[in-house]
Amino acid sequence: MSEFEKIKQGDDSFVAHTYGRFPVAIKEGKGAVCRDFDGKEYVDFSSGIGVNSLGFCDEGWIRAVIEQLGTLQHISNLYYTEPCVSAAKLLCERTGMKKVFFSNSGAESNEGAIKCARKYSYDQYGEGRNKVVTLVNSFHGRTVTTLAATGQEVFHRYFYPFTEGFVFVPANDLSALEQALDGSVCAVMMELIQGEGGVMPLEAEFVQKAADLCKEKDVLLIVDEVQTGVGRTGKLFAFQHFGIEPDIVTTAKGIGGGLPLGCVLFGEKTESVFGPGDHATTFGGNPVATKGAEYILHKLDDEFLSQVTEKGEYMRQRIEKMPHVQGIDGMGLMLGVRLEEGMKSADVVKLGIEKGVLLLTAKAKVRLLPPLAVTYEEIDRGLDAMEAALKEV
Ligand SMILES: *Cc1c(COP(=O)(O)O)cnc(C)c1O
């Protein structure tokens, strides 16, 4: 039995079948290239779904993480530690946000944001002003509350009763949003580019007017940057493209660089909403995960971020000329490739694996989230494989 067959059999026997997996087991990686157990190489245009910001096994990140592992791996939030302070300080300085709560995932970050919004409103206005408006086609996570917050009917099954108090309005529909803000709403939560929903960027005018409307009505604006954050769109956070000041920003995926880490960033209105005992998580602010985050944040300086934009532009120009491609949505290194009517993005992803590139789907689009540190050589190699897949599909 091959190494792959052994792993697959073990997985089938002992790991809960909550994921459909491709018939590949990845053994190791370096930069944007990884290898399976037969030695076949793949250019990773998925970053482990937006996680490996610096690619596989970045030397500097490894050094930072390993040094911390050998110093203090965990002590709990009952004590002060240094790495989470450094990471939080960098996040605040680079965004204008005021405080950071560290969590372990995107869903958990969004849970924290929703709790904060409800408490803010309770403190200011008392009971009853607790609804959260999110957008149709959004994705906010897999906990019972974040599923309820997710604006896609397919996620609202089986797990009843869901958390109450979520209202959905279509993206880019300002009058629907205005109507929804009827005095019972404490927050509006949105992704600025809907990721899982199909790499759907919001219109700048809608985002800015929504932000104004929220400010006017003292409704908190929560921006879910779990996928768009940490350099993905060519700025540290996507909201920085829009000239808005969110009250809460959530992130995860790319801030961890491969370790589980999430953050809730609080602005002026929200920085003191949670007091001791109001919110917590045992692993939150873990020294190893936050040491890695600190390293990533140092790496993502203005020069690095402008490279993200340039690489994204380069990829677009090449992809536009490929067969079956109708257009490309997204920003920076978050790209959604529109295919000809009737084509299935999953077929392209499957063929991509054969040709040596790891791609993602987002609804009908082929989604690319390459590591931010991807080189032009790796880009060309991955795009050659993608083009080969598109020619054959
Ligand atoms: C991935 C994602 C989440 C959920 O993050 P998890 O770490 O899987 O809990 C939430 N919101 C957005 C926009 C995401 O892309």
Side-chain angles (χ1 to χ4, degrees), residues 280-337:
T281 182
T282 300
F283 287 127
N286 170 274
V288 180
T290 50
K291 193 73 192 177
E294 181 194 348
Y295 183 82
I296 290 169
L297 290 166
H298 273 301
K299 272 295 255 217
L300 268 53
D301 59 12
D302 290 344
E303 168 58 27
F304 184 101
L305 292 172
S306 72
Q307 283 288 314
V308 169
T309 305
E310 279 174 33
K311 288 175 204 169
E313 243 351 277
Y314 177 79
M315 291 183 78
R316 269 171 189 270
Q317 282 173 18
R318 273 206 59 186
I319 295 167
E320 266 166 11
K321 299 190 192 100
M322 292 184 188
H324 308 298
V325 172
Q326 299 260 289
I328 303 161
D329 299 313
M331 266 176 153
L333 286 172
M334 178 173 184
L335 301 173
V337 180

Side-chain angles (χ1 to χ4, degrees), residues 208-229:
Q208 281 143 7
K209 294 228 162 105
D212 291 344
L213 208 56
C214 285
K215 203 164 260 178
E216 191 187 304
K217 296 183 182 281
D218 195 22
V219 165
L220 299 183
L221 177 62
I222 304 171
V223 178
D224 177 346
E225 297 236 26
V226 172
Q227 193 158 151
T228 54

Side-chain angles (χ1 to χ4, degrees), residues 49 104-108 110 139-142 191 193 195-196 224-228 250 252-253 367:
I49 319 189
N104 308 287
S105 71
E108 197 194 353
N110 288 335
F139 180 79
H140 297 298
R142 295 286 197 159
E191 303 155 86
I193 304 173
E196 303 304 312
D224 177 346
E225 297 236 26
V226 172
Q227 193 158 151
T228 54
T250 59
K253 294 193 167 99
R367 177 173 41 152

Side-chain angles (χ1 to χ4, degrees), residues 124-354:
Q124 301 286 323
Y125 303 96
E127 281 176 41
R129 189 177 177 277
N130 52 34
K131 285 189 191 150
V132 176
V133 173
T134 72
L135 301 183
V136 172
N137 196 44
S138 56
F139 180 79
H140 297 298
R142 295 286 197 159
T143 63
V144 170
T145 296
T146 55
L147 279 177
T150 291
Q152 301 185 50
E153 272 315 307
V154 295
F155 289 103
H156 302 159
R157 337 182 259 199
Y158 317 134
F159 312 115
Y160 299 99
F162 288 98
T163 306
E164 291 173 39
F166 292 93
V167 178
F168 311 107
V169 305
N172 301 319
D173 187 339
L174 197 71
S175 67
L177 179 64
E178 220 164 344
Q179 231 168 42
L181 301 184
D182 62 359
S184 65
V185 172
C186 65
V188 173
M189 178 156 85
M190 57 175 76
E191 303 155 86
L192 299 176
I193 304 173
Q194 295 183 331
E196 303 304 312
V199 192
M200 308 289 275
L202 299 191
E203 288 163 15
E205 198 190 334
F206 170 77
V207 173
Q208 281 143 7
K209 294 228 162 105
D212 291 344
L213 208 56
C214 285
K215 203 164 260 178
E216 191 187 304
K217 296 183 182 281
D218 195 22
V219 165
L220 299 183
L221 177 62
I222 304 171
V223 178
D224 177 346
E225 297 236 26
V226 172
Q227 193 158 151
T228 54
V230 197
R232 181 53 58 193
T233 66
K235 290 203 185 275
L236 194 62
F237 285 92
F239 81 81
Q240 295 169 318
H241 291 284
F242 291 83
I244 56 168
E245 293 177 348
D247 299 298
I248 303 176
V249 176
T250 59
T251 199
K253 294 193 167 99
I255 190 74
L259 292 171
L261 180 66
C263 317
V264 189
L265 277 57
F266 301 110
E268 241 156 54
K269 276 189 191 174
T270 52
E271 64 172 317
S272 306
V273 170
F274 285 144
D278 288 336
H279 194 53
T281 182
T282 300
F283 287 127
N286 170 274
V288 180
T290 50
K291 193 73 192 177
E294 181 194 348
Y295 183 82
I296 290 169
L297 290 166
H298 273 301
K299 272 295 255 217
L300 268 53
D301 59 12
D302 290 344
E303 168 58 27
F304 184 101
L305 292 172
S306 72
Q307 283 288 314
V308 169
T309 305
E310 279 174 33
K311 288 175 204 169
E313 243 351 277
Y314 177 79
M315 291 183 78
R316 269 171 189 270
Q317 282 173 18
R318 273 206 59 186
I319 295 167
E320 266 166 11
K321 299 190 192 100
M322 292 184 188
H324 308 298
V325 172
Q326 299 260 289
I328 303 161
D329 299 313
M331 266 176 153
L333 286 172
M334 178 173 184
L335 301 173
V337 180
R338 268 177 275 130
L339 302 171
E340 277 161 11
E341 192 67 34
M343 287 182 67
K344 290 208 177 80
S345 52
D347 293 341
V348 178
V349 174
K350 266 184 222 152
L351 262 174
I353 291 172
E354 255 174 55

Side-chain angles (χ1 to χ4, degrees), residues 94-115:
R94 302 274 302 274
T95 59
M97 302 301 281
K98 302 296 180 200
K99 297 276 193 310
V100 181
F101 176 86
F102 288 108
S103 67
N104 308 287
S105 71
E108 197 194 353
S109 300
N110 288 335
E111 287 267 352
I114 293 160
K115 280 176 72 179

